[in-house]
Amino acid sequence: MGCLVSTPKDTGGNRRRPGSIGEVSVYVPGLRIPKPVDFSQSLSGHVSKTLVERLTAMRTRIVVMAGQEALTITRTRRKTTTQHGRSTLADLHQALEDYLPVLLGLVSDGSELQFKVQFIWVNQEDDAEETAMFNAWYEVLSVLHLMAVLSLSQANLLLLPRTSADFYQPKASEESRRGSIDIFLKAAGYLDCAVRHVLPRLPSELRRNLPVDLAEGVLRALCLQALGQGVDIQLGMAIDSTKATLAVKRRLACEMVKYWQQAQDNLMNLPLSNGWGEKHRHFVKWKYVEAKV
């Protein structure tokens, strides 16, 4: 049905760990990076040469861009652009959006093609850095997770406080805060789809052996985090508005507490003993306490 191979970390100490990442407004989990795949060898004779070439080109682009983005995604950045002047995060996100519907063709209607290709991803949050599976649903799950992480990173960049012209307390602009709400909703949508529609497609054995960054509890917690931070921004804007009623503010405050409590509950019993997991747990606990206050 699907095979899994995990490669333990090297003993040489080359593992990527979260260091000082500067000022953040949003917890962004470790990036999961895809490794190259030979579609021609796995799918030859099963699909057209054109489709093989298309899959190869699209995924190779993602591999290259994700590898470049991994070097800087957890650092505070005001602006990172490509030679064409577009955000590298936006470019990678668009490449994933283009790739996903083509990838879904391998799993449509229970096709046996879903077991032909071994997909390999490098996990920043798991002690077994490489996880490989002969299952295209694992690839779909990993793509959705990466799209969500990129969205959270985009929201973080929007919400980083900027010094105002009058040198008062730095804060994100109203336009940036409004934009971040839409991005949080997108991230939550990707993660909700992963939990509801992709995880159930994986055999129970493979689900038990998923890396910790793809554990159901972590995905649910990230989804609730995105919803919680979106409501947090809405509440802040409501407080600043003279038109928002007390009832609206109270409703938003209650929703925010609910989301952060549920996020904390989903992380409570997970083995998040590494640096990334501890950061995530502490961030959610802090936001929950802040929301209750």
Side-chain angles (χ1 to χ4, degrees):
M1 292 291 291
C3 301
L4 174 144
V5 177
S6 292
T7 303
K9 64 179 180 180
D10 296 329
T11 57
N14 294 323
R15 181 161 175 74
R16 298 169 302 283
R17 295 191 181 277
S20 176
I21 61 176
E23 190 172 11
V24 296
S25 294
V26 181
Y27 170 79
V28 180
L31 199 68
R32 306 192 70 249
I33 308 166
K35 297 194 71 175
V37 166
D38 187 354
F39 285 106
S40 60
Q41 182 176 358
S42 304
L43 298 179
S44 179
H46 299 283
V47 299
S48 68
K49 182 180 178 181
T50 301
L51 179 57
V52 170
E53 291 175 348
R54 187 180 180 193
L55 281 166
T56 300
M58 298 177 92
R59 198 176 190 280
T60 299
R61 181 169 180 244
I62 292 170
V63 169
V64 172
M65 295 175 69
Q68 294 172 343
E69 191 63 30
L71 300 176
T72 55
I73 194 169
T74 56
R75 299 178 188 149
T76 300
R77 295 170 300 165
R78 296 300 182 190
K79 187 177 182 182
T80 302
T81 56
T82 66
Q83 60 181 335
H84 303 295
R86 294 183 59 205
S87 164
T88 56
L89 288 174
D91 284 341
L92 178 52
H93 196 281
Q94 184 61 54
L96 291 164
E97 283 192 345
D98 294 341
Y99 173 58
L100 187 57
V102 182
L103 171 65
L104 288 172
L106 298 180
V107 296
S108 62
D109 302 322
S111 171
E112 287 297 315
L113 293 176
Q114 65 182 287
F115 308 118
K116 297 291 185 182
V117 183
Q118 184 184 50
F119 295 100
I120 308 171
W121 288 71
V122 178
N123 318 299
Q124 285 193 313
E125 296 192 37
D126 199 89
D127 287 336
E129 288 209 3
E130 285 188 11
T131 303
M133 293 187 182
F134 280 94
N135 195 307
W137 283 113
Y138 168 64
E139 176 84 342
V140 174
L141 181 64
S142 297
V143 167
L144 288 172
H145 179 270
L146 181 51
M147 292 171 73
V149 171
L150 294 176
S151 296
L152 292 175
S153 187
Q154 287 176 316
N156 183 54
L157 291 176
L158 282 176
L159 294 174
L160 288 178
R162 289 157 173 79
T163 304
S164 59
D166 52 14
F167 298 103
Y168 281 102
Q169 174 109 13
K171 63 185 298 185
S173 67
E174 181 173 344
E175 181 183 359
S176 293
R177 288 188 289 168
R178 289 188 184 277
S180 72
I181 294 172
D182 291 335
I183 294 175
F184 281 130
L185 289 176
K186 285 184 179 180
Y190 299 140
L191 293 162
D192 184 67
C193 179
V195 171
R196 291 176 180 269
H197 303 294
V198 180
L199 275 179
R201 302 276 189 167
L202 290 170
S204 57
E205 181 181 354
L206 294 189
R207 290 184 63 177
R208 286 193 298 269
N209 289 289
L210 285 170
V212 68
D213 38 3
L214 291 183
E216 182 174 348
V218 173
L219 296 177
R220 288 186 182 277
L222 280 175
C223 178
L224 291 161
Q225 171 193 323
L227 293 173
Q229 291 209 260
V231 174
D232 191 355
I233 300 300
Q234 288 179 293
L235 177 59
M237 296 177 69
I239 292 173
D240 292 341
S241 173
T242 57
K243 297 180 180 180
T245 65
L246 183 60
V248 169
K249 297 172 187 176
R250 184 182 293 114
R251 176 181 60 80
L252 291 172
C254 290
E255 284 185 16
M256 184 172 63
V257 171
K258 180 189 70 174
Y259 286 137
W260 286 115
Q261 181 179 14
Q262 291 176 347
Q264 183 172 257
D265 291 344
N266 275 280
L267 293 176
M268 192 171 296
N269 297 318
L270 292 176
L272 302 177
S273 58
N274 57 60
W276 290 101
E278 285 301 312
K279 282 180 180 288
H280 194 187
R281 200 192 304 272
H282 287 315
F283 179 83
V284 169
K285 182 178 180 180
W286 164 54
K287 296 297 290 185
Y288 176 45
V289 171
E290 183 183 60
K292 287 197 297 182
V293 171

